Amino acid sequence: MQTNNSNLANTVDDAFNVRISDMREFADKMRTTSRTMLLHCTDGRAIVSIDTDDYTIERGDSLFIFPQKAIHVSNATEDFLTTCFTFCNDILDDVVTGLSTALLLYIHHHPLVKLGATGHSFINAMSELIKRVKNDERQIYKNKIISNILSNILLIRYGTQQIDDTLETHYNRSEELFKRFLTDVEIYCCQNHGVTEFAARLCITPKYLTDITRVKLGKSPKEMIDGALLRRAESSLINTHKSIKEISNDCGFNTPAYFARFFRRMKDMTPQDFRKKAFPAQ
């Protein structure tokens, strides 16, 4: 089967793409994807690293990757192939709207679902349907249709998991705002560090956002933003050879000193010490 090895991280201009890929472009080094990715392994086996976490993906497994994540593929077998869906933030927003809060939180914490060698015919049928919709020039609602198909894929692939539904509530505005905030934090934590900026994106007050997150997770918005920012910094310290200054800039800090204070507050050690601890022989 012919594979498409174009750089998914940087060259996808369309709102949505689906392709067969061996993910070779992520094998030489850690790369950051600007788009959401849903991988369905159709053959073989590989280890996919997302920031600082490793996931073994094999035939029948699905892996959901939010945007702005650092990805690396290693230990891939020669026959490793995936059906790779990539889509823009607008479609991600629509997909999130179609999911329950409990399921969205589960995907955030458990991006890999292992279901064995089943469901291939379903995934193949859905990918072909998406291609037909995308290529139909007469269809004016193609992005909405595609987002609905993606939501259904996630519901079917993750619906068999034991998901804690204690956070499930009836539909209301705070429910949708919370889901949007979850995805916004993953995408924009390096650009915006303050609660005010995220609340403004949702057109609500910082106090209202705080009330929502404390009810849903028992955490403040700032705790969630800082947690996402820390994960991004840790990934760069472990997976790249960038200097502390470069990582500080990437994470949106004005100075390396400010970054160091943030890191020490979160980890009780400096970024340099964290890197040395990760690579004690160096």
Side-chain angles (χ1 to χ4, degrees):
M1 184 178 297
Q2 185 177 3
T3 62
N4 187 327
N5 289 314
S6 60
N7 190 330
L8 301 182
N10 299 312
T11 63
V12 177
D13 296 323
D14 299 325
F16 179 86
N17 268 281
V18 57
R19 68 193 74 194
I20 301 298
S21 174
D22 58 15
M23 305 299 289
R24 189 175 301 169
E25 65 272 31
F26 293 99
D28 57 341
K29 65 178 181 179
M30 208 84 175
R31 295 178 183 270
T32 300
T33 176
S34 61
R35 304 227 163 185
T36 302
M37 300 173 66
L38 173 61
L39 304 180
H40 177 76
C41 183
T42 57
D43 285 293
R45 186 173 183 268
I47 296 175
V48 180
S49 301
I50 305 175
D51 288 339
T52 57
D53 297 317
D54 295 334
Y55 302 92
T56 298
I57 180 171
E58 53 193 1
R59 181 177 172 84
D61 296 346
S62 293
L63 187 62
F64 193 93
I65 306 173
F66 284 94
Q68 305 305 321
K69 296 289 187 179
I71 305 171
H72 182 245
V73 176
S74 61
N75 298 98
T77 58
E78 291 185 2
D79 59 342
F80 177 65
L81 284 177
T82 68
T83 300
C84 181
F85 304 86
T86 61
F87 44 99
C88 68
N89 292 341
D90 287 341
I91 290 183
L92 174 61
D93 285 342
D94 281 342
V95 170
V96 166
T97 299
L99 303 178
S100 69
T101 301
L103 177 56
L104 180 60
L105 284 170
Y106 183 89
I107 294 173
H108 269 275
H109 296 293
H110 305 89
L112 176 68
V113 57
K114 303 180 73 66
L115 297 176
T118 60
H120 295 294
S121 59
F122 169 75
I123 292 293
N124 290 338
M126 292 299 99
S127 63
E128 290 303 317
L129 176 59
I130 286 172
K131 289 175 184 177
R132 288 200 296 272
V133 171
K134 180 182 176 182
N135 294 329
D136 187 351
E137 297 299 330
R138 301 167 301 171
Q139 181 54 254
I140 62 175
Y141 298 112
K142 60 179 62 179
N143 282 8
K144 185 65 176 178
I145 294 172
I146 287 171
S147 66
N148 286 336
I149 295 172
L150 285 168
S151 293
N152 287 328
I153 290 175
L154 291 173
L155 288 172
I156 289 174
R157 299 304 284 164
Y158 287 88
T160 59
Q161 306 304 297
Q162 296 299 315
I163 298 174
D164 182 4
D165 63 357
T166 56
L167 293 171
E168 204 62 61
T169 63
H170 64 281
Y171 174 85
N172 55 46
R173 184 166 181 256
S174 65
E175 191 87 355
E176 291 306 313
L177 289 170
F178 178 67
K179 288 191 287 188
R180 286 179 56 193
F181 177 64
L182 276 176
T183 54
D184 281 355
V185 166
E186 295 292 342
I187 299 170
Y188 302 113
C189 64
C190 290
Q191 291 96 315
N192 298 315
H193 297 176
V195 177
T196 301
E197 290 89 344
F198 282 94
R201 290 185 59 84
L202 300 173
C203 300
I204 60 177
T205 65
K207 182 182 183 305
Y208 186 28
L209 179 57
T210 300
D211 291 342
I212 291 172
T213 61
R214 288 204 178 279
V215 168
K216 299 296 184 184
L217 279 185
K219 294 182 179 180
S220 70
K222 184 59 176 171
E223 287 177 299
M224 297 174 66
I225 296 166
D226 285 351
L229 188 58
L230 178 65
R231 291 192 297 272
R232 198 68 50 81
E234 288 177 330
S235 176
S236 293
L237 288 166
I238 292 175
N239 297 308
T240 75
H241 295 290
K242 291 182 178 181
S243 67
I244 302 300
K245 182 177 181 180
E246 289 174 317
I247 295 173
S248 172
N249 289 336
D250 290 345
C251 290
F253 290 93
N254 292 330
T255 66
Y258 185 26
F259 172 58
R261 287 197 296 272
F262 164 81
F263 202 91
R264 183 183 286 277
R265 173 170 62 84
M266 298 293 291
K267 295 288 292 185
D268 198 27
M269 67 177 71
T270 66
Q272 293 91 335
D273 289 341
F274 177 82
R275 178 173 268 174
K276 289 178 183 177
K277 186 176 180 180
F279 303 102
Q282 297 181 8

